[in-house]
Amino acid sequence: MPEPYAHGMLDVGDGNQMYWETCGDPAGKPMVWLHGGPGQGCPEGMRDSYEGLGYQIVLYDQRGCGRSTPSAVDPGTDMRVNTTHHLVEDLERLREHLGIERWLLRGASWGCTLALAYAERYPHRVSEIALSAIMTGRHREIDWLYGGASRFFPEEYARFAGDVGGVVDLLADYARRMADPERAVQLQAAAAWARWEDTVLSLEPNARPGAFSGPVNDSVLTLARICAHYFANYAWLDDGQLIRDAGKLAGIPGVLAHGRLDLSCPVETAYELAAAWPGADLFVCDQSGHRGSPAKGEHLRAAMTRFAEQR
């Protein structure tokens, strides 16, 4: 596992300190990894995902998760200053802090949403974009994941939703419970949340049973709390704005890789984004779901290899 050659904590305001690190080639083409969730943090395995391609690789933990502070696991953490707008500005502040003129954005799942929001706000700071498991935060996407997908798993959804009606009310209820001062209440809500996430991914070819719903530790609780907070508010985005404004990405080379068997993020979103983004290349893998797969990985690595040569 490669070790970072630099790391630190960046003050992004509102009492938040954001952890960042750089690895790979210090003189290489800059790229930044945008992790999923929101709230998943950057695992060490991301360090070597494109090792050897000549990139200066930037990893960081978004507000409230991973090594950033304060952690959302603390019920006293103020989530009002943790929104998509804050994350976009945090990313721009990190770019400035590292002295990077333009960088490649690599995002997966929620990381796609953040990458698109940042690129449409700061297109002149983006060289290329590579996305997988495409998600844009539209109301229909969130309503599907926490409501519509119930038609495949009605018995599990009954456990997840209980008597709470409506997706927004349901997610807000989970957000409240995961901010409860009683640890037991937090853990019970996080366990139910993680079980539903696992359920939706359970039909994929490379599903890992219990990937989310194993023992509920601080990482799972952090992820669940931040997810519920964001999705109860539809990520503070105008409905459909990231696809509507994809024309702002004209001139930025983009590669999209998506699994046709992705039940959590149906392929229509990737298709519609590619249609709205001039010059974007869409690869749909018929044997893949939401998670990574050899075919998606090979396609993305080929794209990243091409991008690395474009200085």
Side-chain angles (χ1 to χ4, degrees):
M1 182 71 63
E3 292 295 318
Y5 61 81
H7 63 92
M9 301 292 286
L10 177 64
D11 186 347
V12 292
D14 308 308
N16 281 268
Q17 297 284 326
M18 189 170 76
Y19 175 83
W20 62 268
E21 63 183 42
T22 49
C23 53
D25 182 355
K29 180 172 184 169
M31 67 154 284
V32 58
W33 251 117
L34 306 179
H35 65 69
Q40 199 161 27
C42 273
E44 291 183 354
M46 282 186 170
R47 292 176 185 166
D48 62 356
S49 51
Y50 299 111
E51 184 76 10
L53 296 186
Y55 282 103
Q56 175 191 355
I57 302 171
V58 180
L59 298 93
Y60 75 105
D61 295 328
Q62 295 159 24
R63 287 194 183 205
C65 71
R67 292 148 289 188
S68 295
T69 60
S71 172
V73 76
D74 179 353
T77 294
D78 185 1
M79 300 297 287
R80 294 173 299 177
V81 293
N82 194 332
T83 70
T84 303
H85 171 75
H86 289 96
L87 298 191
V88 166
E89 297 309 314
D90 290 351
L91 184 54
E92 176 62 3
R93 190 171 299 190
L94 178 60
R95 183 198 62 77
E96 293 175 345
H97 176 73
L98 296 177
I100 293 171
E101 184 67 22
R102 295 168 73 229
W103 51 6
L104 182 154
L105 308 181
R106 173 70 176 96
S109 193
W110 162 257
C112 299
T113 306
L114 181 55
L116 293 168
Y118 175 85
E120 291 177 9
R121 174 70 177 84
Y122 296 103
H124 57 295
R125 297 303 184 188
V126 180
S127 57
E128 300 90 8
I129 305 175
L131 305 178
S132 57
I134 313 303
M135 174 187 183
T136 69
R138 290 183 297 179
H139 292 192
R140 64 192 293 177
E141 298 170 38
I142 294 169
D143 289 347
W144 167 261
L145 179 55
Y146 299 107
S150 65
R151 67 193 63 182
F152 291 94
F153 312 101
E155 67 284 10
E156 284 294 336
Y157 191 76
R159 295 177 57 152
F160 174 62
D163 297 326
V164 180
V167 170
V168 170
D169 289 341
L170 172 64
L171 300 182
D173 179 67
Y174 268 95
R176 283 192 297 270
R177 284 191 280 151
M178 285 184 282
D180 194 280
E182 292 293 332
R183 175 83 170 177
V185 175
Q186 298 175 38
L187 294 176
Q188 184 180 42
W193 182 280
R195 183 185 177 103
W196 176 248
E197 296 282 358
D198 269 345
T199 297
V200 176
L201 298 176
S202 65
L203 302 183
E204 297 190 0
N206 60 345
R208 301 199 310 268
F212 289 104
S213 56
V216 178
N217 54 24
D218 283 355
S219 294
V220 172
L221 178 53
T222 297
L223 171 67
R225 184 183 182 195
I226 295 177
C227 279
H229 169 64
Y230 269 72
F231 297 147
N233 292 281
Y234 288 120
W236 299 272
L237 297 169
D238 290 342
D239 192 16
Q241 78 173 69
L242 298 183
I243 293 179
R244 180 198 69 206
D245 295 343
K248 295 179 179 179
L249 307 178
I252 301 176
V255 171
L256 314 176
H258 200 86
R260 194 176 300 280
L261 305 180
D262 189 339
L263 192 59
S264 60
C265 297
V267 69
E268 66 172 359
T269 296
Y271 178 82
E272 292 169 13
L273 174 62
W277 179 353
D281 167 63
L282 172 63
F283 168 67
V284 177
C285 180
D286 291 338
Q287 291 76 43
S288 300
H290 190 74
R291 297 187 181 281
S293 70
K296 284 199 295 184
E298 289 168 10
H299 187 84
L300 285 162
R301 189 171 183 86
M304 295 293 287
T305 301
R306 293 196 308 272
F307 289 156
E309 296 169 353
Q310 300 168 6
R311 297 284 178 161

